[in-house]
Amino acid sequence: MRKEKLKKALALALTGAVIIGAFAGCGAKKDSSSDTKKEETKKIVIGASPSPHADILKVAKKELKKEGYELEIKEYSDYVQPNTALESGDLDANYFQHKPYLDDFNKKKKTHLVSAGMIHYEPFGIFPGKTKTLKDLKKGATVAVPNDTTNEARALLLLQDQGLIKLKDGAGLTATKKDIVENKKDLAIKEIEAAQIPRSLKDVDIAVVNGNYALQAGLKVNKDALATEDADSVGAKTYGNIVAVKKGNEKLAATKALIKALKSDTVKKYINDKYDGAVVPLF
């Protein structure tokens, strides 16, 4: 009798082991399927500065989904980390800089990053201070311009386009006020740190302000500016903001899909409606 009970107990134990094994096997199979599905998901990880780049990408994200890609946006507050993260492979792309900055970064940091496409530029504008129109500028009027080489050159080129000064031939995007060869109104060019210029408007007659700083200061480029950089200007073409990728990845299907989404009509409409001329699409 005892032997029969022992056999029954052993049989029950073996049956339980088989059932548990079966359930365990089902669970492992399910997890494996989930992992495979996850691996098959097409994802692009992109780094960007918060505004306007990350905001624009959030609109492009919806367009990119139509192409079968998920876009993960990582925001950075500086201009170094998004490039180092792209070089290391932590990012698939980034969107925050213009090509001259990228070229300089590659040279200094020995990185291997390239432009995959130019998306927008942030135009410089001439804004009124004590003088409300360009024709009312008096002899000796004070004009504020950014004090760093790149931005000062763009500002001087814009002043030249408005016939206020003339630069020596070939000065281009390296121009400083020392390159002014004609200044009929004897304008006093005052060099000020770019971010501080909007606060200095009350102290000068007119000022040339970067698009992003104008935006932050609540200045409406389309309404308040007396003149702005044209989309065909040297500054716009040179300093348009780009999507960067690691060299060799510019021809990947994912990269092409990203550029296509960023250059969609939906994104163009968003930029034009949202930024009132402070950000201008280059497509």
Side-chain angles (χ1 to χ4, degrees):
M1 195 71 172
R2 285 183 183 177
K3 190 179 284 188
E4 287 181 8
K5 286 183 178 179
L6 185 60
K7 284 181 179 179
K8 284 182 179 180
L10 184 59
L12 285 170
L14 288 171
T15 302
V18 171
I19 291 170
I20 290 169
F23 276 112
C26 286
K29 189 175 182 181
K30 187 176 182 180
D31 290 342
S32 176
S33 175
S34 176
D35 289 343
T36 302
K37 190 174 182 180
K38 188 180 288 185
E39 287 173 6
E40 289 173 354
T41 301
K42 295 187 289 185
K43 183 190 233 182
I44 300 171
V45 183
I46 187 166
S49 50
S51 181
H53 307 82
D55 293 334
I56 293 171
L57 284 167
K58 287 170 188 173
V59 178
K61 183 175 184 176
K62 298 172 185 176
E63 294 297 307
L64 200 54
K65 196 170 184 179
K66 298 175 185 176
E67 302 293 322
Y69 290 91
E70 177 189 346
L71 186 64
E72 181 182 338
I73 304 164
K74 292 187 176 181
E75 295 187 14
Y76 293 86
S77 58
D78 73 294
Y79 291 168
V80 175
Q81 289 186 72
N83 274 342
T84 55
L86 182 57
E87 178 71 15
S88 69
D90 291 334
L91 297 174
D92 298 310
N94 68 40
Y95 176 38
F96 74 95
Q97 64 195 321
H98 51 60
K99 195 168 183 299
Y101 178 83
L102 176 66
D103 291 341
D104 185 60
F105 191 95
N106 278 331
K107 185 177 179 181
K108 290 178 179 177
K109 304 292 185 181
K110 308 300 181 186
T111 46
H112 310 84
L113 311 177
V114 298
S115 170
M118 189 176 288
I119 308 302
H120 80 266
Y121 82 106
E122 295 160 19
F124 277 31
I126 300 176
F127 289 87
K130 292 185 288 187
T131 301
K132 303 307 175 185
T133 66
L134 294 180
K135 67 179 182 179
D136 290 335
L137 276 177
K138 295 180 179 178
K139 193 174 182 67
T142 303
V143 181
V145 299
N147 65 357
D148 59 287
T149 303
T150 298
N151 287 322
E152 180 173 2
R154 287 179 71 181
L156 294 174
L157 286 168
L158 179 55
L159 293 172
Q160 178 175 252
D161 288 342
Q162 300 307 308
L164 297 174
I165 60 170
K166 186 176 180 182
L167 299 168
K168 72 178 183 183
D169 291 341
L173 291 168
T174 60
T176 69
K177 66 179 185 178
K178 294 179 181 178
D179 295 309
I180 298 173
V181 293
E182 189 176 297
N183 185 357
K184 292 180 179 179
K185 290 194 173 184
D186 196 25
L187 300 174
I189 307 297
K190 188 175 183 179
E191 298 164 320
I192 300 174
E193 201 276 316
Q196 302 301 319
I197 292 181
R199 301 174 192 171
S200 304
L201 281 170
K202 64 183 185 298
D203 302 317
V204 299
D205 288 284
I206 58 171
V208 185
V209 185
N210 299 54
N212 59 317
Y213 293 130
L215 192 64
Q216 291 173 22
L219 297 170
K220 303 291 185 183
V221 175
N222 281 347
K223 297 176 182 177
D224 302 328
L226 304 177
T228 60
E229 275 180 319
D230 188 84
D232 293 326
S233 68
V234 175
K237 290 180 177 178
T238 304
Y239 294 102
N241 284 207
I242 61 171
V243 170
V245 296
K246 199 161 184 180
K247 189 175 182 180
N249 291 345
E250 61 271 29
K251 294 182 180 179
L252 291 178
T255 302
K256 290 181 179 179
L258 175 61
I259 299 302
K260 180 182 176 182
L262 279 166
K263 291 188 174 183
S264 65
D265 290 340
T266 301
V267 170
K268 177 182 272 191
K269 185 177 186 307
Y270 171 80
I271 292 174
N272 288 331
D273 292 347
K274 171 77 175 176
Y275 297 109
D276 289 328
V279 179
V280 178
L282 285 171
F283 54 91

